Amino acid sequence: MLALGPVEVWNGGRQVALGGPKPRTLLVALLLQLRQVVPAERLVDLIWDESPPQSAGALVHTYVSSLRRVAGEALVTRAPGYVLDVEYSDIDEFTRHVSLARQAERDGDPATAFRHYEQGLALWRGPALHGIDANFARGHALALEESRLSAQEGLGRCELAQGRFEDAIGRLSALAHSHPAREDTRLLLMSALYRAGRQADALNVYREARAYLLDELGIEPGEKLQTLHRQLLAGVLEMPPIATAPARDVVVPHHLPPDISDFTGRQDVLARVLAVAGAPANTTSTPTVVISGFGGAGKSALAVRAAHLLRRQYPDGQLFADLRGAERDLRSHEVVGRFLGLLGVLGKDQPEGIDERVELYRRLVADRKLVIVLDNARSERQVRSLLPGNPNCFVIITSRSRLTGLEGADPVELDLLEPEVSAEMLSRIAGEQRVKAEPEAARHIVELCGGVPLALRAAAAKLLARPHWPLRTLAKRLSDERRRLDELTVGDLAIRSSLRLNYADLDAQHRTAFHLLALLDMPDFGAWVAVPLLLVDLDEAEDVVEHLVELRLLDVAGVDHIGRVRYRFHDLVQLFGAEQASLDDDVTAAVGRLLATWVTLVEAGSKRLPRVTLGLRPRPGVDEEVDPRLVEEVEENPMGWLHSETGAVVRVVERAHDLGVDEITTTLITSLLSSSFSARNEFDGWQRTHDVALRAARAQGNTAAEAVVLAGLGQLRYEQDDFDAALTNFQQAADGAELVGDDATLAVALVGLGTVYRDLASFDLARSMLNRAVQLGDDEIVAAAAYGLGAVDRDLGDLAAAEAALERSLSLYRKLDDQRGTALALRGLSLCHRASGKYLAAVESSREAEALLRAAGDELGAVYAVQSLVKASLRAGLFEGLDDLLAECVEVCGRQRDRFGLALTTRTRGELSLALGRPDAAELLSEALGLWTELGAPLWRARTMRDLAAATSDAETWTAALELFRSLGVREAAELEGMTAADWLSSTRLP
């Protein structure tokens, strides 16, 4: 149990939770009377400071029960109260060392006394009983603090006794400065100064002490201090003999940095480190742990905490070396020299050669149990000569690299902190109440620090330095990416400085790669992108990227859909890399080459995927030589490749525009991506790339490129079922294309206009646009326009003309070897067959369309084929399994955010229920009607109202449906003439 600092309990190498403040207070009350019975009534008084609640007795019992889960058999009930008997208490250990030190002083052995004082003081981790606010605890804390100061003075006495006057002066001066009222400290300091030949300085210490005591307390110095002052003035102070220096083999080094009281999380990895230290010694090798991780991940803090916790297990001392000094890396020669000095070998006695130094070092530690911490190691070579070479010692190495070449070492990898642990760390440093008061701002700060302990510590330190700041102020400042690294700099806490350590290890090629990849800010990427960026081959590109991973400047994101490793930057590393980039990196040319490579690869993939949108090709194209292996990857699995690369290419298109790079290529790649976006209803990437391309075209005054992009935006809006926006974009595209004489883009825009007008039941406008497109376009355009004209004729009731147009469309699509277009035309013919009563032919056409679409990987297109198959099967009396087919359709439409498809399949479910006489028909049809109304599709509204009127026997809805059919001039107006809702219901019901 640890109380010389924040109160902690450790069990089996793991820190355990103690609960709230009252259970902690009870535990401390028992600890301060260790192995003694403390009556329950006394515990009540101690915990509640003489003002207990009525339920105090019961609460004590509850607290004891909860603490037993922590302390186990160490906490027992013994009338009339409780006894705590822990295996180890740092208060006991401190008291033991101080007692031994004082005995050694009495025995005239200042070297041994010094060692015990030092070991006792090394146990302190902060103010005693920190976090316990009861009156009794404050009193005991003051007493323990007095013992600590007395031990500090004891160190000074021992240094004086050994003739180490300058050491004593340094120690006692600091103590006198921080505790100016301690006269014993002044006595020792005056003696040390006098014996060092500095009589004037010694007298000045007295004058300062007297002035302080008079000014602050209104009293003269004590008799001892006055007597010493008179002796110094008279020069009659006796000079006791100097004790013999301690023998080398009794020096116990305690050279660890202080532990931190707000250490948070990492209990699992801490337990792993301690477990290696405590493993049975069944080998002759030195147990060694390598803690690796991102810069600022808390590797050093973890190593130091583990070393402090292992002091009892390794009683012969602790050695620590930071292998990356403030100015340069430390050489092994220097570090071994420092260790020898800490082990008692004076500089003049140390060998010059590194081999001889290592030999002496290993001989000195051969029979000792030491913890050796080697912090910030760069490589295996740097630490090999520092390993003790015996199984008695335990070595902890921290490094940003994994040091996998270090034989026999146990690797411990530090990940970034989870959000909950990050929030706890922020709370412990900045203040729990302050963080609780602004939970949203705290969460935002945690998110922006990205799980990096150093960043969280810097953010918390900034809040401590500005207690008047609301947390939202810091959150807002951190949100500015240009300032984030500046905001995460407080004193010597700086993310930027931490990252510079690894950045300094990069050669020119790796720096260029780091700069360019950081500037592009891709969500993740494959190593191949370094090929065009650096003009290297694929193997070298992989080596460059992997080296950035080894230096912790890049993370592995996982494996993509085609089995390649993907990489990504931590947000803070990306910001650092981008700010290091310069004009020397030739950004424009490098990013232009990457875009050109992407054009080639996207086009290779698009050729092997179903074309969902009509092709748009700005001119001119690009010509970039691409590694055949990259093209083969695309062609083997184009859908998987596009799925993996879409996020990266979308971001690069945006960044290329921001950087003013190769706008023609940007427009081309945007157009090439449209069909793959449409096939997956990937609206976000589609929108982002087209927004960039439109800004670029307009900035350049390039009307032709603008028309191409506007046509693509029209296709996007149509797929989003935003018919008004689609009309606007298609019309703007048509106007621009006509202005510059681009018939190809004009034809695409006209087909788009005709398609939207058809869905809006504006059949004359639809026919006009589609006929004009036929006159301008190639076979692909004519096939699409013929499909639209067939749909118009079918809706208007001219089924012969509709079949002829759709047969023409089917023939052209087959000529073009366009599987998706072929399936689309087959589905259209299925609808004609169903309308003319050829139900089995309709079933076969729909099945053929579905098979083609599934083979092409067009999941959403297959939904429409299945919907038409269900309708045809229903009319043909083949209704088994139709519910399952429609349920699958609804799921796909919902997942792909296809509102039109969702409305269509919901209506079909209602029609199926209507035909089968099920009670949910009205509910489903009402839902579908709401969706059609939201979409603004009048013909589909009328068809759904007709079915809903039949399901509900609602004459008013029936009349409204008929009026809408008549106003649209569609075939249903004639088909329903003279019929009632009941008649229609009878015609839909299965026999």
Side-chain angles (χ1 to χ4, degrees):
M1 191 169 167
L2 307 181
L4 298 179
V7 175
E8 296 177 0
V9 172
W10 289 76
N11 192 357
R14 298 177 67 90
Q15 185 178 355
V16 293
L18 296 177
K22 297 302 183 187
R24 287 173 176 267
T25 304
L26 185 149
L27 194 62
V28 168
L30 293 171
L31 174 69
L32 294 175
Q33 299 180 68
L34 199 61
R35 303 178 189 90
Q36 300 178 38
V37 177
V38 183
E41 292 85 353
R42 178 60 180 155
L43 289 172
V44 168
D45 293 336
L46 292 173
I47 296 170
W48 282 281
D49 292 334
E50 308 290 339
S51 301
Q54 289 185 346
S55 58
L59 288 172
V60 166
H61 180 74
T62 300
Y63 298 155
V64 168
S65 297
S66 68
L67 289 171
R68 279 207 177 103
R69 291 192 289 271
V70 172
E73 296 179 357
L75 178 55
V76 297
T77 302
R78 189 174 300 163
Y82 305 95
V83 177
L84 181 67
D85 185 5
V86 296
E87 178 183 340
Y88 173 82
S89 160
D90 56 359
I91 294 179
D92 268 6
E93 190 71 359
F94 172 72
T95 303
R96 184 180 71 83
H97 277 300
V98 170
S99 177
L100 290 170
R102 288 172 179 165
Q103 182 61 50
E105 282 192 273
R106 289 192 292 270
D107 293 342
D109 185 359
T112 299
F114 184 92
R115 186 169 75 250
H116 282 298
Y117 278 131
E118 192 176 45
Q119 287 177 323
L121 288 167
L123 298 170
W124 286 72
R125 298 168 293 109
L129 307 178
H130 181 67
I132 307 300
D133 200 39
N135 286 336
F136 83 93
R138 288 193 289 270
H140 278 283
L142 290 173
L144 287 167
E145 176 66 10
E146 175 60 29
S147 296
R148 186 183 71 82
L149 296 174
S150 178
Q152 291 274 18
E153 291 168 345
L155 286 175
R157 280 195 307 274
C158 294
E159 288 167 331
L160 274 173
Q162 296 174 83
R164 296 160 56 191
F165 302 135
E166 292 302 324
D167 290 343
I169 290 168
R171 183 186 306 281
L172 294 166
S173 295
L175 192 59
H177 178 75
S178 58
H179 299 276
R182 293 186 68 84
E183 292 193 25
D184 285 350
T185 303
R186 303 276 191 176
L187 280 166
L188 291 168
L189 179 56
M190 290 168 65
S191 298
L193 288 165
Y194 182 84
R195 294 173 69 182
R198 296 165 58 182
Q199 183 178 8
D201 290 337
L203 292 170
N204 189 51
V205 169
Y206 177 81
R207 285 191 293 273
E208 290 177 354
R210 183 171 184 270
Y212 178 87
L213 293 169
L214 286 170
D215 291 342
E216 298 295 325
L217 304 177
I219 60 174
E220 289 284 350
E223 182 59 31
K224 287 183 180 180
L225 203 57
Q226 292 188 40
T227 299
L228 179 60
H229 180 236
R230 288 193 295 269
Q231 290 175 340
L232 295 181
L233 287 172
V236 295
L237 183 66
E238 292 186 8
M239 303 283 280
I242 296 173
T244 304
R248 181 182 298 165
D249 59 355
V250 299
V251 173
V252 178
H254 296 288
H255 191 51
L256 292 175
D259 196 5
I260 55 175
S261 61
D262 49 29
F263 186 90
T264 307
R266 305 295 194 201
Q267 297 306 312
D268 53 343
V269 288
L270 179 59
R272 286 177 57 194
V273 174
L274 298 178
V276 175
N282 53 5
T283 69
T284 57
S285 62
T286 306
T288 302
V289 165
V290 176
I291 302 172
S292 59
F294 180 91
K299 302 180 292 295
S300 301
L302 175 66
V304 168
R305 166 145 289 213
H308 275 289
L309 293 173
L310 291 168
R311 283 176 303 190
R312 291 189 69 221
Q313 194 170 335
Y314 291 86
D316 295 329
Q318 305 88 37
L319 297 174
F320 177 90
D322 185 349
L323 302 182
R324 284 195 171 182
E327 301 292 333
R328 58 180 175 79
D329 289 358
L330 297 184
R331 295 180 296 118
S332 299
H333 185 275
E334 296 175 81
V335 179
V336 176
R338 291 185 184 184
F339 283 177
L340 289 173
L342 292 166
L343 292 166
V345 182
L346 300 178
K348 62 184 180 62
D349 297 328
Q350 294 181 11
E352 272 302 314
I354 180 61
D355 292 340
E356 290 78 13
R357 283 194 174 194
V358 171
E359 182 181 347
L360 176 58
Y361 161 63
R362 287 177 174 163
R363 190 167 65 246
L364 286 174
V365 302
D367 297 319
R368 300 192 185 190
K369 290 180 70 65
L370 292 163
V371 175
I372 301 167
V373 180
L374 304 175
D375 197 29
N376 281 321
R378 184 191 298 272
S379 65
E380 293 90 344
R381 180 181 179 184
Q382 192 182 21
V383 299
R384 279 201 171 95
S385 58
L386 305 177
L387 301 179
N390 70 73
N392 303 318
C393 297
F394 178 55
V395 179
I396 307 174
I397 303 170
T398 73
S399 176
R400 301 187 184 199
S401 299
R402 292 183 174 86
L403 303 186
T404 53
L406 206 59
E407 301 85 352
D410 285 273
V412 173
E413 180 81 7
L414 286 193
D415 293 326
L416 301 172
L417 295 179
E418 294 295 326
E420 296 79 9
V421 180
S422 297
E424 180 187 353
M425 182 175 180
L426 183 69
S427 178
R428 292 184 68 174
I429 302 173
E432 184 177 357
Q433 294 305 316
R434 195 172 177 189
V435 170
K436 278 185 176 179
E438 295 184 76
E440 286 301 322
R443 276 192 288 272
H444 197 196
I445 291 171
V446 163
E447 179 184 349
L448 293 170
C449 289
V452 179
L454 178 59
L456 288 160
R457 191 167 291 280
K462 180 151 285 189
L463 290 171
L464 287 176
R466 293 166 173 78
H468 53 285
W469 270 17
L471 265 65
R472 65 177 178 274
T473 298
L474 179 60
K476 182 178 180 181
R477 293 167 73 99
L478 288 173
S479 297
D480 184 348
E481 291 187 351
R482 296 166 300 177
R483 295 178 48 86
R484 190 176 304 163
L485 294 178
D486 295 324
E487 294 297 334
L488 294 175
T489 301
V490 181
D492 61 351
L493 295 173
I495 280 290
R496 190 182 279 114
S497 300
S498 176
L499 292 171
R500 281 202 181 105
L501 290 174
N502 282 0
Y503 181 71
D505 290 343
L506 298 177
D507 61 21
Q509 183 186 54
H510 289 93
R511 284 196 179 195
T512 299
F514 179 51
H515 296 166
L516 292 171
L517 291 169
L519 274 174
L520 291 174
D521 189 22
M522 292 171 280
D524 60 68
F525 54 90
W528 73 266
V529 299
V531 172
L533 289 177
L534 302 178
L535 291 175
V536 297
D537 64 30
L538 184 57
D539 294 331
E540 188 175 355
E542 289 174 349
D543 291 340
V544 168
V545 171
E546 282 294 336
H547 186 60
L548 295 179
V549 174
E550 291 167 8
L551 289 178
R552 303 291 176 161
L553 294 173
L554 196 60
D555 297 327
V556 174
V559 177
D560 65 19
H561 288 74
I562 60 173
R564 302 170 308 169
V565 177
R566 306 289 293 182
Y567 306 88
R568 67 177 169 220
F569 285 109
H570 187 281
D571 289 348
L572 298 177
V573 179
Q574 185 272 322
L575 293 175
F576 174 79
E579 75 176 17
Q580 303 305 311
S582 67
L583 294 176
D584 296 337
D585 295 315
D586 198 7
V587 174
T588 300
V591 177
R593 290 193 300 270
L594 176 58
L595 280 173
T597 302
W598 244 317
V599 166
T600 301
L601 297 177
V602 170
E603 190 155 26
S606 298
K607 286 177 180 177
R608 293 175 177 263
L609 290 173
R611 179 168 298 285
V612 179
T613 57
L614 287 173
L616 289 161
R617 291 291 188 277
R619 297 291 185 265
V622 294
D623 183 19
E624 181 74 16
E625 186 175 346
V626 177
D627 190 316
R629 289 177 291 176
L630 296 177
V631 177
E632 288 171 9
E633 281 184 343
V634 180
E635 291 177 342
E636 284 177 8
N637 185 354
M639 185 61 78
W641 187 91
L642 283 165
H643 193 283
S644 301
E645 296 292 342
T646 293
V649 71
V650 168
R651 183 60 180 147
V652 169
V653 167
E654 292 175 329
R655 292 296 293 138
H657 177 66
D658 295 340
L659 297 167
V661 176
D662 201 358
E663 305 294 8
I664 293 297
T665 308
T666 299
T667 305
L668 177 54
I669 197 169
T670 294
S671 300
L672 286 170
L673 284 167
S674 290
S675 189
S676 66
F677 285 145
S678 179
R680 291 174 286 153
N681 271 13
E682 196 167 314
F683 299 138
D684 178 63
W686 199 348
Q687 177 76 58
R688 287 164 58 191
T689 53
H690 278 69
D691 284 347
V692 169
L694 187 60
R695 289 199 302 270
R698 285 174 172 170
Q700 291 181 326
N702 189 335
T703 304
E706 183 180 353
V708 170
V709 177
L710 284 167
L713 280 170
Q715 292 170 338
L716 166 62
R717 298 306 179 210
Y718 178 74
E719 293 297 327
Q720 290 177 311
D721 305 310
D722 187 348
F723 298 144
D724 289 341
L727 285 176
T728 299
N729 290 141
F730 280 134
Q731 189 61 59
Q732 291 172 334
D735 293 343
E738 196 162 21
L739 185 65
V740 297
D742 181 358
D743 286 348
T745 301
L746 174 58
V748 170
L750 289 170
V751 170
L753 286 167
T755 302
V756 178
Y757 281 131
R758 186 196 76 215
D759 280 348
L760 293 174
S762 298
F763 297 116
D764 289 341
L765 285 171
R767 196 190 298 276
S768 171
M769 298 297 171
L770 294 169
N771 280 326
R772 191 176 169 201
V774 169
Q775 297 169 4
L776 293 173
D778 56 13
D779 284 350
E780 183 182 16
I781 292 291
V782 174
Y787 174 85
L789 289 167
V792 168
D793 288 332
R794 183 181 63 240
D795 287 338
L796 293 175
D798 190 346
L799 297 181
E803 286 199 33
L806 289 166
E807 289 287 358
R808 182 185 185 189
S809 175
L810 178 61
S811 175
L812 288 170
Y813 277 131
R814 282 175 170 163
K815 175 183 174 184
L816 293 166
D817 195 26
D818 184 336
Q819 298 302 301
R820 186 181 185 279
T822 299
L824 190 70
L826 284 168
R827 181 182 181 274
L829 282 169
S830 173
L831 301 183
C832 281
H833 294 327
R834 193 181 78 231
S836 59
K838 296 180 285 189
Y839 300 135
L840 292 178
V843 167
E844 290 307 313
S845 294
S846 291
R847 281 181 176 159
E848 188 178 352
E850 181 196 1
L852 287 171
L853 290 164
R854 293 202 186 279
D858 186 351
E859 181 185 41
L860 190 58
V863 162
Y864 284 82
V866 170
Q867 183 271 337
S868 67
L869 173 62
V870 170
K871 289 286 291 281
S873 299
L874 182 60
R875 294 291 180 266
L878 307 171
F879 51 87
E880 186 174 349
L882 300 186
D883 282 311
D884 291 339
L885 290 176
L886 288 174
E888 180 185 347
C889 292
V890 169
E891 187 276 326
V892 173
C893 291
R895 174 161 41 83
Q896 297 216 23
R897 296 171 294 170
D898 181 16
R899 294 189 299 155
F900 193 99
L902 188 60
L904 188 65
T905 52
T906 301
R907 173 179 174 259
T908 306
R909 290 178 67 203
E911 289 179 283
L912 178 59
S913 288
L914 188 66
L916 296 174
R918 294 193 298 218
D920 62 344
E923 181 181 350
L924 289 167
L925 292 166
S926 294
E927 181 182 347
L929 181 59
L931 293 171
W932 291 127
T933 302
E934 183 180 320
L935 287 168
L939 178 55
W940 291 102
R941 282 185 65 242
R943 288 169 174 166
T944 308
M945 289 166 63
R946 173 195 62 192
D947 297 333
L948 181 60
T952 58
S953 301
D954 186 340
E956 186 176 341
T957 302
W958 177 261
T959 301
L962 292 181
E963 289 176 354
L964 188 50
F965 282 134
R966 293 187 191 107
S967 69
L968 297 173
V970 293
R971 59 183 171 84
E972 284 88 349
E975 291 173 355
L976 299 174
E977 189 65 37
M979 291 183 68
T980 65
D983 296 333
W984 179 249
L985 177 61
S986 178
S987 71
T988 62
R989 284 284 168 86
L990 294 176

